[in-house]
Amino acid sequence: MTTNTLPIPFLDLVSPHKELEGELVEVFRHALATAGFIGGPAVEAFEREFALFCRTKFCVGVGSGTDALRFALLAAGVGAWDTVLTVPNTFIATTEAISQTGARPEFIDVDPRTYNMDPVKLAEYLDTHCTFSQARGKMVHNQTGSVIRAIIPVHLYGQMAEMDPILYLARKYNITIIEDACQAHGAQYYSAEASSWQQAGSMGKAAAFSFYPGKNLGACGEGGAVTTNDEEIARRIRMLRDHGQAKKYYHDVEGYNGRLDAIQAGILQTKLRYLPEWNEKRRKLAARYCELLADEAHIRLPHEPAWSKAVYHLFVIQVPDRDGLIKYLAQEGIGSGIHYPVPLPQQRAYASLSLRPGLYPVAEEAARQIVSLPMFPSMTEEQQQRVCEAVRQYIAASVVAA
Ligand SMILES: *Cc1c(COP(=O)(O)O)cnc(C)c1O
């Protein structure tokens, strides 16, 4: 068998762990030797380093990205009867976290080029569906009377949402911003307002990160974190993750079992040292994909605005016959994915919201045409060449056939 016929995975999680095996096994040994499995110095050390990486004052390690979102919302005071705005094309964890606080999710369609929340549509939604109540100092939904308590922009695929105009609207209407940075560890946004580059996870009231194994920074199990510059938010999240206690068996509130364990923290601290290099490799691979596929009229490539430094958690293109392309790639031994095939408003889980198709045209059209191509830091140029050749071959054949 020539190397040319070896399958190309969508994501290779095995080689980085082989490379780091020595260091990672050391983390496990240390945990066994000290029997410190939950909390403790390993978790605190990782929290300090991840806060530094995100340029925030605080980081609180939690059990998953979903916990991070849920705790951030709860700590920001989101609860029953509130409304939280987010995008239709995110992973369901974003809206699960909203619903599980007792609030109701509402959707704002996305920008067709970045796949992220469209600030113009956000402004339109607030203008046409809501009224600012001077008495309550809050934005209130005209029909439901519900307070628009928070907005969750998602930095999807590792690309920044356009934060300046979103933050402006949030300030104007007293709405809390919680960033979903679960796919964006290390991404940066150029804020014209602040005249500087800002880290993903440092711009809202708080931000949620996931360390699910396949994320840019992944644990060897579950993990997540909230970053924030707000000391009170950090304090509340430390309580929420640990059964509502600040002191053992003295419970100020009911909380959750949502802690980051010491082994994962140690593993994450080790991997964090490699993250900038891994992200740089992803950026190079993305640039090369764009070069190799540039003259294909039937492919829509990712768009990186001048104000974004994306970290390409996923490399997503749009093609007219997406399902055909995926099948062809599979025949060629090339993995791919769809992130995500069904917009959340159309998921059966949200049937009760009665959001008919057509309400979010950009997200809906993208859902029909997007394909995620293989993307992982250890991907070789040869592998990338083969993926691009296969894509071009399929497009050429299907365009002729049509
Ligand atoms: C992965 C992810 C989450 C959830 O993270 P978990 O660690 O799996 O709970 C939330 N939002 C987005 C956008 C994600 O990609």
Side-chain angles (χ1 to χ4, degrees), residues 5 97 121-122 223 245 315 348 392-393:
T5 58
K121 289 183 188 135
L122 173 64
Q245 61 190 359
F315 187 87
R348 211 188 293 168
R392 301 169 79 111
Q393 270 163 15

Side-chain angles (χ1 to χ4, degrees), residues 18 70 75 80 91 133 137 150 197 244 261 289 346 359:
K18 268 200 186 126
R70 190 191 309 130
F91 182 55
S133 156
W197 286 93
D261 73 71
Y289 260 135
Q346 263 76 68
L359 283 172

Side-chain angles (χ1 to χ4, degrees), residues 63-67 69 90-91 93-94 154 156 180 182-183 209-212 215 222-224 313 340:
S64 67
T66 312
D67 274 351
L69 284 162
T90 176
F91 182 55
T94 318
V154 181
L156 198 71
D180 183 337
C182 287
Q183 302 189 1
F209 286 90
S210 164
F211 306 125
Y212 187 78
K215 301 293 165 91
E222 303 275 0
H313 172 57
Y340 299 93

Side-chain angles (χ1 to χ4, degrees), residues 131-386:
T131 308
F132 191 76
S133 156
Q134 294 294 348
R136 300 166 75 182
K138 292 281 175 204
M139 200 63 168
V140 177
H141 192 279
N142 295 337
Q143 255 142 40
T144 62
S146 166
V147 169
I148 313 296
R149 187 81 57 179
I151 302 171
I152 308 184
V154 181
H155 306 311
L156 198 71
Y157 308 151
Q159 164 107 275
M160 293 297 297
E162 194 176 357
M163 292 302 289
D164 273 355
I166 295 174
L167 287 163
Y168 166 80
L169 290 166
R171 273 195 307 274
K172 182 170 170 189
Y173 296 122
N174 193 19
I175 304 172
T176 300
I177 298 285
I178 306 291
E179 298 169 69
D180 183 337
C182 287
Q183 302 189 1
H185 321 66
Q188 293 185 321
Y189 173 78
Y190 185 81
S191 166
E193 186 109 342
S195 311
S196 63
W197 286 93
Q198 313 270 319
Q199 293 289 112
S202 70
M203 307 188 70
K205 186 79 171 165
F209 286 90
S210 164
F211 306 125
Y212 187 78
K215 301 293 165 91
N216 288 30
L217 178 62
C220 297
E222 303 275 0
V226 178
T227 52
T228 181
N229 287 314
D230 186 312
E231 189 164 14
E232 177 58 17
I233 296 265
R235 189 189 67 83
R236 284 187 200 160
I237 292 172
R238 282 194 201 101
M239 297 223 308
L240 286 169
R241 73 174 171 183
D242 195 21
H243 300 289
Q245 61 190 359
K247 182 177 161 195
K248 205 166 175 73
Y249 304 134
Y250 291 81
H251 307 274
D252 294 353
V253 291
E254 270 191 357
Y256 299 80
N257 178 350
R259 296 167 301 227
L260 179 64
D261 73 71
I263 293 175
Q264 299 311 331
I267 284 168
L268 289 165
Q269 195 185 352
T270 300
K271 289 190 178 183
L272 180 58
R273 292 200 281 276
Y274 298 88
L275 181 61
E277 173 191 327
W278 289 338
N279 279 345
E280 203 41 52
K281 284 189 176 156
R282 287 175 184 271
R283 287 180 55 77
K284 286 222 172 77
L285 287 163
R288 195 151 174 278
Y289 260 135
C290 289
E291 267 169 42
L292 292 171
L293 298 172
D295 45 358
E296 284 291 343
H298 301 276
I299 300 178
R300 187 188 287 201
L301 294 167
H303 168 71
E304 200 175 318
W307 42 256
S308 177
K309 277 194 195 130
V311 290
Y312 294 95
H313 172 57
L314 297 167
F315 187 87
V316 177
I317 62 171
Q318 284 190 56
V319 292
D321 175 20
R322 181 262 315 276
D323 295 333
L325 174 61
I326 288 178
K327 226 181 257 167
Y328 182 75
L329 290 175
Q331 279 164 20
E332 296 292 302
I334 297 168
S336 60
I338 307 174
H339 301 87
Y340 299 93
V342 181
L344 293 176
Q346 263 76 68
Q347 294 281 0
R348 211 188 293 168
Y350 294 116
S352 63
L353 296 180
S354 306
L355 297 166
R356 57 181 167 74
L359 283 172
Y360 313 99
V362 177
E364 290 168 32
E365 186 183 283
R368 287 189 287 270
Q369 302 191 349
I370 45 174
V371 194
S372 309
L373 299 180
M375 170 55 83
F376 48 92
S378 59
M379 190 178 191
T380 65
E381 290 197 1
E382 191 266 338
Q383 287 177 317
Q384 209 177 14
Q385 201 89 39
R386 268 180 58 209

Side-chain angles (χ1 to χ4, degrees), residues 125-137:
Y125 174 92
L126 294 170
D127 278 349
T128 55
H129 295 281
C130 310
T131 308
F132 191 76
S133 156
Q134 294 294 348
R136 300 166 75 182

